Amino acid sequence: MSKKTYIAERSGFARPTADRHVQRHPNVLHSPDMKISEALEVFVQAKRAEGCRERTVGEYYRHISYIIDYLGEDILLDNLTPDMIRSYISYLLSERKAYEGDNKRQKDKKGLSPNTINIRLRTLKTMCRFWYQEGYMLNNPMSTIKLVKSNHVPEVQGLTDEQVRSVLNYYDERMYSEWRDKTLVYLLLDTGLRIQEAVSLTIGQIEVRQNLLVIPSEIAKNRKYRDVPVSREIVKQLLELYQESRRYFGNIDRIFMNSYGEPLKADTFRRRLNRLKKKIGMDTLHPHQFRHTFARDYLLNGGDLFTLQRILDHADIKTTRKYIQMDTEHIQTQHLKHSPVRKYIRRR
């Protein structure tokens, strides 16, 4: 009887090195003349197959375009090295201008913020890990690259009561577009919805009797269905806007429409807020500030952090904590209201 051959480990199967704990495919897909731009298409195709949203795909293209601009269109995937990436980071820190190429928004100051650079590096890290694990790269050049350190963590500040009043008082309710915008601002302040969730709202998502908004998984950022509480007054205002829009545009399901009878886009509302901030003398004004304002005021009014996490649809409570930025006035007010020593002083 001939001795049988026992096979334990597959021949030619490379063990993972830098990316431990993740099984790596053999290098059957490796092509030494593959450009980064070609590898990008492979990555995007895989992400689309996983159900990745087109907006996220657009961000992949945008983020990788920066390093392609820096290194050149003909840069090969195999030629991408850690030293090249570090040189690219140095360029972003000291030379690259914010919004470069956009004549309307470009700034003269050189150097991008660490936060902006790290967003691009995370995208590149995700792509390199994919290319390496799938066998398109022999080595992962991002495995030893660390994110840029910063002593200052950019925070999105909520709006003060005075700023909120300035925004709301500016709108002329005789104008359809301004009444619609005002209703949208009220909705954001009342629910903390993301702007895309808000502008996508349909009449079928409003549970009138329960005062709830149903956010389906295909709209939510974290792909999780959730119910969001909404004040009765805001429900009434949403229904009024919907009924008036139907009189103008016929049978529609969206709550927020533009003046031409088309669904209002998030970017359109962002641009309208940008124009509004100049008219009322504010430095910044964008939809996410209303979400932060809701989060801060929700807690100041007695709400708890864990319920807030559910409402905001945060997977990690650490993210929720970052949303809550208290200024000195808020801290003093809360201390005055809740300090335990006051009950002892009153007894004297």
Side-chain angles (χ1 to χ4, degrees):
M1 180 181 295
S2 60
K3 187 177 180 181
K4 293 183 179 180
T5 303
Y6 172 74
I7 301 176
E9 186 171 343
R10 290 167 56 196
S11 175
F13 192 88
R15 289 180 176 272
T17 52
D19 292 291
R20 293 181 299 171
H21 313 302
V22 180
Q23 199 173 51
R24 182 170 181 266
H25 291 270
N27 291 322
V28 294
L29 299 176
H30 177 251
S31 176
D33 58 351
M34 176 177 279
K35 298 178 182 178
I36 291 182
S37 57
E38 294 170 337
L40 172 62
E41 296 300 328
V42 175
F43 173 82
V44 167
Q45 185 179 19
K47 290 302 175 182
R48 281 187 170 133
E50 294 172 4
C52 188
R53 291 178 177 150
E54 285 304 308
R55 182 176 180 182
T56 304
V57 169
E59 290 298 294
Y60 286 141
Y61 278 114
R62 188 168 66 88
H63 290 168
I64 205 66
S65 68
Y66 300 123
I67 193 168
I68 291 177
D69 288 344
Y70 176 72
L71 297 175
E73 293 183 2
D74 296 328
I75 180 69
L76 299 178
L77 195 62
D78 269 1
N79 290 345
L80 189 61
T81 65
D83 286 341
M84 277 186 176
I85 296 171
R86 292 188 183 98
S87 175
Y88 169 62
I89 294 172
S90 297
Y91 161 73
L92 294 178
L93 280 169
S94 59
E95 295 296 327
R96 177 82 185 191
K97 295 180 180 179
Y99 308 113
E100 189 168 330
D102 187 335
N103 295 329
K104 293 183 179 180
R105 304 173 70 190
Q106 182 170 315
K107 299 179 180 179
D108 292 332
K109 182 181 177 181
K110 291 184 177 182
L112 304 182
S113 71
N115 184 58
T116 299
I117 295 171
N118 287 337
I119 289 173
R120 299 178 185 179
L121 291 179
R122 288 188 184 98
T123 300
L124 185 59
K125 186 180 286 287
T126 299
M127 291 182 179
C128 285
R129 185 185 300 115
F130 169 84
W131 292 326
Y132 174 74
Q133 291 171 2
E134 293 293 319
Y136 292 96
M137 299 182 86
L138 297 176
N139 299 288
N140 181 356
M142 282 295 295
S143 62
T144 58
I145 301 295
K146 296 181 179 180
L147 298 179
V148 177
K149 292 183 179 180
S150 173
N151 294 327
H152 173 69
V153 179
E155 299 168 346
V156 177
Q157 295 288 343
L159 301 170
T160 65
D161 292 348
E162 183 180 352
Q163 288 174 325
V164 171
R165 292 191 185 98
S166 295
V167 171
L168 294 173
N169 291 337
Y170 175 84
Y171 289 120
D172 183 352
E173 295 189 16
R174 296 171 300 177
M175 306 297 294
Y176 171 79
S177 60
E178 295 196 22
W179 177 48
R180 176 207 61 211
D181 286 0
K182 187 173 185 178
T183 301
L184 181 51
V185 169
Y186 273 128
L187 175 65
L188 296 174
L189 288 170
D190 185 53
T191 62
L193 288 177
R194 300 179 179 93
I195 183 57
Q196 189 59 45
E197 295 171 339
V199 297
S200 301
L201 192 67
T202 65
I203 190 65
Q205 291 175 245
I206 304 177
E207 296 286 349
V208 177
R209 293 183 180 180
Q210 291 82 18
N211 292 324
L212 290 173
L213 301 178
V214 178
I215 308 301
S217 57
E218 58 266 25
I219 295 176
K221 182 177 180 181
N222 289 330
R223 301 293 182 95
K224 292 182 180 179
Y225 162 96
R226 77 187 193 280
D227 292 329
V228 177
V230 59
S231 299
R232 181 171 52 84
E233 296 85 354
I234 302 305
V235 169
K236 181 180 178 181
Q237 199 161 332
L238 291 172
L239 295 178
E240 288 177 0
L241 174 61
Y242 174 72
Q243 292 299 335
E244 183 163 333
S245 297
R246 282 194 69 182
R247 290 200 298 270
Y248 298 144
F249 309 124
N251 189 23
I252 57 173
D253 62 350
R254 289 286 191 101
I255 302 297
F256 296 100
M257 309 290 289
N258 67 20
S259 298
Y260 299 97
E262 301 165 339
L264 180 69
K265 295 181 179 179
D267 283 342
T268 299
F269 184 60
R270 290 188 184 97
R271 289 193 295 269
R272 291 178 66 82
L273 288 180
N274 190 53
R275 291 195 293 268
L276 175 58
K277 78 175 183 184
K278 299 173 183 177
K279 295 176 181 177
I280 60 179
M282 291 178 60
D283 293 330
T284 60
L285 183 62
H286 52 82
H288 221 55
Q289 285 180 284
F290 297 116
R291 183 167 159 88
H292 281 254
T293 303
F294 164 79
R296 181 199 66 209
D297 289 357
Y298 181 88
L299 289 185
L300 289 175
N301 291 334
D304 69 273
L305 187 63
F306 294 100
T307 303
L308 178 61
Q309 178 190 3
R310 291 286 300 273
I311 294 174
L312 294 179
D313 188 32
H314 287 157
D316 192 335
I317 202 166
K318 292 179 182 178
T319 306
T320 310
R321 289 195 179 102
K322 292 178 182 178
Y323 269 61
I324 306 157
Q325 305 302 329
M326 307 288 186
D327 58 27
T328 303
E329 182 180 353
H330 288 124
I331 294 172
Q332 289 176 325
T333 301
Q334 291 300 297
H335 179 267
L336 184 64
K337 185 185 299 185
H338 300 294
S339 173
V341 77
R342 299 181 66 82
K343 64 182 178 183
Y344 302 112
I345 293 177
R346 288 169 184 162
R347 292 177 181 176
R348 293 177 60 184

